[in-house]
Amino acid sequence: MSEVLRAEGLTRVFKDFWGRPTVTAVDQVSFSLGGGEVVGLLGPNGAGKSTTVKMLLGLLRPTAGTCTVLGQSAGHAATQARVGYLPEESAFWPTLTGRETLELLAGLTARPSDPAALLARVGLTAAADRRVGEYSKGMARRLGLAQALLGSPDLLILDEPTSGLDPLGRREVKAMIGELATAGTTILLSSHLLAEVEDVCDRVLVLLNGRLVAAGGLAELLGETGQLALPLPQLSPEALARVLAAVRAELGTEIEPRPLSRGLEAFFLDLVARESGQ
Amino acid sequence: MIGVLPLAFDLIRRAWRSGLVAAVGLAVAAAMVWLPTQASGEALDGGRLAAVWSLGLGLAQALIFTAVAVLAVDGLARDVRDGQAALLATQPQGRVRWWLGRWLGAALLGLGWLALAVGVGLIVAGGQVPAAWQEIHAPQVQPLALPQGTIVDTGLEGPPGRLRLYLTTPEGDDAAGTLEILSTTGARQAITVQPFRTYESDWPGGRLGLWQDGWPALVIDPGRDLVLRVPAGSGAANLLRVVVLLALQVLFVAALGAAAAGALRYPLALLAVLAWLFAAAHAPLLSSSLRPPGAQEEELLAHGHHADDGHDHGVSEGWWLEVLEGARLTGWSLTDALHRWWRVGDLGAGRLVPGAEVGQALLRLGLLQTVAVAVAGILLWRRRELALGDES
């Protein structure tokens, strides 16, 4: 697996007007991303996730350390063409339509994808000719995703990609991330939604107070609890009693069966699919 | 160049949709139509036609420069402040093209407004522009004395045109007398004059001699009070040269605005450029107001020499005058790009704007000053950290 991104001892100290250090936002962070990996960047507010991402993109200069993206220093024009970025805030030009926004950004890219196809991919075809200022937060997020995919990037950096999206949109985004990873795109996903990261990521990096406090594969980090879940279909009271008796005889302890809920998100998605005839 | 044109047109489109293009366009058109009709008194000395091209175009120029400065600052600064910088800075076009795109957008809009101003001016003036005249001054620098009853060769020479003179007399006597205007072509004309008044007369061409009868002596300042105005080409050509100068200034102002936006945060950048425009527009006024009362440049130079003459003066009593003079000269040179090529007033007055001056402006303002500001702006812009939200 070829290396797509490497950060070595990445440090960023913010200073005040007089040059006095005020806060060390990122402190000696080192990690790397291989081709086709989906890696989650986790951490509470103020952990240094966004500052790290900005350094990887060349928007901020590291106080110390280096970051190499696709073989070049971060922010190098040659690599920008191969990096897609979805910022945490969907900041577009409110007077432009969605189509115009993508066409403008496509004009800045050497080999842009078709804006119309991207709009269709993120479900914005119907709103393509509306001004972005009139978009809902979720629509703006979808447009952000489309612009991140404009140059068919090899590395995609997504900062809270599902923020503001409804459950259907979140599911679509997760599916899209899966498709992109399958196609070989490396993805760095910064998110607060741990379940989401767990669903799509191969590895996670956990930042706390600017330091990398944990890194590794999900199975490696989460480990096993020593417990086993055995989903069963609905049983008659007699059948359930026989199963519990057999388990009790095997383990020597009492166990309490709990009904398995499908969860609100699954219920909502089923309902929407049923009502819309899908 | 990938990115430059889309970013330029994007800036124009944003300005169009926000109503700025129409608002400035209407204001420019109104300046060309309305202001000349309001002129009166001295402002109408050159007639309504001159008022269109001096007052109207002068106000239009001020509006255009201000709008271009605001747009050029806004183009980049708004990208940073509103967060679009995160999108643009991560596109592969690079910051140089980003800067150039915003500069070009502001400059193209400025040139469009300029074309509108000239077009409206031509309609209002019925396609007329004051014919260009060239002023010829006598070669002497010392005041010219005219003794009574003696023909004096003024040294002033030129083709047919108009002669303007202003006479003074050391005695302060403003009684009327006779002045004969003599030409080496043989023509002569006698007029009745009084000192301390300006006179104009037809000039047949040749070399000028003067003869007076009425006062012991008359005095003329040949550098200022003895002027020959001779035709120097069509008004249209003069207009074209002034428009070229204005266009170069538009490019410079756009570069200055973009450079300020690249170096400073939003309100500061706008304030800095507007302050510069104000200083440039009022450079002559500020320059003279900074001059100490009654102090001439020669006197200031003399103060400087005294400080170096080896004597112990303690704190020189003239040091603050030198500081003021330094500030005056510095302010003058910093705003040189605008006030040096400010020729709208000359267009209305019919004064020739020489082609050589346009060539000099192309080299100095276009190639040297604008490029220098652009290079400095781009270098600062490339060094700028563009983290989302750091401007809010």
Side-chain angles (χ1 to χ4, degrees):
Chain A
M1 191 161 53
S2 62
E3 190 173 86
V4 170
L5 185 152
R6 169 168 286 277
E8 297 256 23
L10 213 51
T11 301
R12 173 68 194 211
V13 179
F14 285 107
K15 296 175 180 174
D16 66 9
F17 180 81
W18 306 106
R20 296 173 299 193
T22 52
V23 63
T24 302
V26 177
D27 191 5
Q28 294 290 324
V29 169
S30 300
F31 62 90
S32 66
L33 266 63
E37 269 195 300
V38 181
V39 177
L41 186 60
L42 299 177
N45 290 336
K49 299 189 302 293
S50 291
T51 304
T52 302
V53 164
K54 285 169 188 169
M55 285 192 283
L56 297 177
L57 290 161
L59 293 174
L60 285 177
R61 280 187 292 278
T63 308
T66 58
C67 43
T68 310
V69 179
L70 296 160
Q72 301 274 3
S73 58
H76 193 281
T79 60
Q80 299 286 52
R82 298 170 60 195
V83 178
Y85 172 50
L86 172 67
E88 187 179 359
E89 299 290 334
S90 302
F92 294 104
W93 298 275
T95 55
L96 299 192
T97 65
R99 190 190 308 283
E100 287 167 346
T101 302
L102 284 195
E103 284 172 352
L104 167 67
L105 294 170
L108 312 179
T109 306
R111 32 186 194 94
S113 309
D114 176 20
L118 281 175
L119 285 166
R121 187 171 183 182
V122 298
L124 280 180
T125 302
D129 295 314
R130 277 173 57 190
R131 293 193 180 184
V132 176
E134 300 165 1
Y135 276 17
S136 68
K137 192 177 177 189
M139 292 164 80
R141 212 71 198 133
R142 287 167 187 262
L143 185 64
L145 271 171
Q147 68 79 26
L149 297 173
L150 256 177
S152 304
D154 296 321
L155 170 63
L156 197 54
I157 298 179
L158 305 175
D159 204 348
E160 302 289 351
T162 57
S163 163
L165 289 181
D166 57 28
L168 198 63
R170 280 207 298 273
R171 188 171 71 173
E172 286 169 2
V173 168
K174 282 193 278 189
M176 197 183 296
I177 288 173
E179 287 168 23
L180 289 164
T182 306
T185 307
T186 306
I187 298 170
L188 180 64
L189 173 67
S190 170
S191 178
H192 292 105
L193 302 175
L194 304 183
E196 205 161 78
V197 172
E198 190 176 352
D199 283 348
V200 297
C201 291
D202 309 316
R203 280 198 301 136
V204 292
L205 308 165
V206 184
L207 288 176
L208 189 62
N209 296 327
R211 300 187 70 88
L212 188 62
V213 293
L218 280 173
E220 175 192 342
L221 289 177
L222 301 181
E224 292 179 2
T225 61
Q227 291 183 314
L228 189 64
L230 185 63
L232 294 172
Q234 191 67 45
L235 298 175
S236 66
E238 298 77 21
L240 179 62
R242 285 198 298 276
V243 169
L244 289 175
V247 173
R248 197 179 304 120
E250 180 64 29
L251 300 178
T253 58
E254 285 293 328
I255 58 167
E256 183 65 31
R258 283 197 298 261
L260 189 60
S261 166
R262 58 178 163 160
L264 188 57
E265 182 171 328
F267 164 77
F268 178 82
L269 291 174
D270 286 347
L271 183 67
V272 170
R274 195 167 58 244
E275 292 298 318
S276 58
Q278 291 173 11
Chain B
M1 291 246 292
I2 295 174
V4 174
L5 285 180
L7 285 166
F9 291 136
D10 168 62
L11 186 78
I12 294 170
R13 180 167 49 189
R14 277 159 51 187
W16 174 262
R17 289 187 180 171
S18 67
L20 185 70
V21 174
V24 176
L26 281 173
V28 164
M32 297 300 295
V33 174
W34 172 78
L35 192 61
T37 65
Q38 302 301 306
S40 60
E42 285 183 8
L44 258 186
D45 277 354
R48 200 65 70 183
L49 181 63
V52 170
W53 292 114
S54 55
L55 297 180
L57 192 56
L59 180 58
Q61 173 195 26
L63 287 168
I64 292 169
F65 285 4
T66 306
V68 167
V70 170
L71 257 177
V73 172
D74 191 68
L76 281 175
R78 189 180 286 268
D79 287 339
V80 176
R81 191 188 58 176
D82 293 351
Q84 290 98 11
L87 295 177
L88 291 171
T90 51
Q91 302 296 332
Q93 88 284 348
R95 293 198 189 182
V96 176
R97 294 174 195 182
W98 181 4
W99 192 97
L100 286 173
R102 295 309 193 201
W103 166 77
L104 184 63
L108 285 176
L109 267 178
L111 294 178
W113 284 320
L114 181 59
L116 174 72
V118 173
V120 172
L122 284 171
I123 292 170
V124 171
Q128 300 291 309
V129 182
W133 294 74
Q134 188 173 9
E135 291 189 346
I136 301 174
H137 296 262
Q140 295 96 322
V141 291
Q142 296 298 323
L144 199 63
L146 306 179
Q148 191 170 20
T150 305
I151 295 176
V152 173
D153 179 6
T154 63
L156 184 63
E157 193 169 9
R162 298 275 294 172
L163 176 69
R164 194 182 69 215
L165 43 79
Y166 179 82
L167 303 160
T168 58
T169 174
E171 284 72 30
D173 179 7
D174 65 349
T178 303
L179 180 75
E180 279 202 30
I181 298 167
L182 311 156
S183 164
T184 49
T185 61
R188 57 194 302 158
Q189 181 186 5
I191 55 176
T192 301
V193 296
Q194 280 179 274
F196 310 110
R197 286 169 177 76
T198 299
Y199 289 92
E200 277 206 24
S201 166
D202 286 335
W203 170 244
R207 191 177 174 100
L208 173 68
L210 292 173
W211 177 92
Q212 66 94 357
D213 182 25
W215 309 271
L218 281 179
V219 177
I220 301 178
D221 179 350
R224 199 175 54 190
D225 297 336
L226 186 59
V227 182
L228 202 54
R229 299 184 74 214
V230 298
S234 72
N238 216 27
L239 171 64
L240 185 63
R241 287 188 286 267
V242 170
V243 168
V244 171
L245 291 179
L246 287 172
L248 288 171
Q249 289 177 322
V250 165
L251 300 183
F252 178 83
V253 171
L256 194 73
L264 301 169
R265 293 191 175 197
Y266 182 67
L268 276 182
L270 189 59
L271 194 64
V273 176
L274 292 180
W276 182 88
L277 268 179
F278 179 82
H282 295 88
L285 180 64
L286 291 174
S287 172
S288 57
S289 66
L290 276 175
R291 188 179 300 203
Q296 298 298 317
E297 288 176 28
E298 292 79 5
E299 294 170 357
L300 292 167
L301 280 174
H303 276 289
H305 290 312
H306 288 170
D308 294 336
D309 63 7
H311 294 90
D312 181 13
H313 293 275
V315 178
S316 166
E317 61 180 14
W319 68 271
W320 64 275
L321 298 178
E322 291 177 34
V323 169
L324 278 180
E325 179 64 2
R328 187 179 76 85
L329 294 174
T330 305
W332 184 266
S333 59
L334 282 177
T335 55
D336 169 272
L338 224 55
H339 67 72
R340 174 182 285 272
W341 316 107
W342 207 288
R343 289 290 180 268
V344 170
D346 290 346
L347 177 68
R351 275 189 291 275
L352 175 73
V353 178
E357 190 172 321
V358 177
Q360 195 186 0
L362 278 168
L363 288 174
R364 182 167 169 154
L365 178 59
L367 284 180
L368 193 65
Q369 290 173 312
T370 303
V371 170
V373 168
V375 168
I378 288 170
L379 288 176
L380 291 167
W381 181 238
R382 288 185 67 179
R383 292 288 302 160
R384 177 90 171 262
E385 288 193 319
L386 298 173
L388 185 68
D390 74 340
E391 300 291 313
S392 57

